[in-house]
Amino acid sequence: MGLAMSFLRVPPVLDGAADPAVVARRLFGAGGARPAATALDLGGAWQAVHYLLTGDPWDGPQPEGDVVCGGRLLTEDGADELGRDVIYLEPARVAPIAAYLAATPFRAIAGRFDLTAMKAAHVQDADAFDDGVLDRVLAPAYDALGRFFRQAADAGEAVYKAMEERSAR
């Protein structure tokens, strides 16, 4: 068990709605469906990627801290309604993230990979990591985030991040 995170690129106005909370209900509420073409699922790797970006499991400066943990939480105690926490990044915050990711190769952040420190910081799944997870899981996740945010920035889209319990494997 643990948390999984997925990302969704969405136009700033969806079906006439500009309020991010209304859009989130349309996307994630009863009967809502995420368009697969604009979604990215990081699964349980989200917190490890955030740690590599910032050196912290939860915090960090903008724009790198915004990649995973930044944004406006739309489900303040409302996760029951949508079945997940939803975090909103407005288009104005998406472009700096895309620029940061494009200018920062994975090897520039990979030096923060320290299993002992990550375990001490309680990074999700760090207890199960081996040295190969860096190239096998985290580098591809980082590359996918770079492409995802570049496409969102180029299209002027907002990003909705959804965190929900993942099933045991």
Side-chain angles (χ1 to χ4, degrees), residues 11-137:
V13 176
L14 182 68
D15 298 331
D19 180 339
V22 171
V23 172
R25 283 177 182 78
R26 289 185 180 170
L27 293 170
F28 302 104
R34 292 181 245 174
T38 60
L40 171 65
D41 184 2
L42 278 191
W46 64 272
Q47 194 172 34
V49 170
H50 181 79
Y51 186 89
L52 294 180
L53 284 163
T54 67
D56 187 276
W58 294 106
D59 292 321
Q62 291 181 347
E64 58 267 41
D66 279 354
V67 174
V68 175
C69 289
R72 178 177 148 208
L73 180 63
L74 298 176
T75 51
E76 315 249 357
D77 301 325
D80 290 341
E81 176 187 353
L82 299 180
R84 70 206 80 205
D85 281 324
V86 179
I87 303 165
Y88 169 74
L89 278 171
E90 63 190 44
R93 285 176 77 176
V94 171
I97 292 170
Y100 173 84
L101 293 172
T104 309
F106 182 72
R107 290 291 160 213
I109 66 167
R112 288 197 178 110
F113 185 78
D114 176 337
L115 283 175
T116 302
M118 293 170 79
K119 289 175 187 177
H122 304 288
V123 171
Q124 179 175 272
D125 296 335
D127 290 335
F129 288 167
D130 57 34
D131 290 332
V133 76
L134 193 62
D135 292 322
R136 189 177 63 251
V137 176

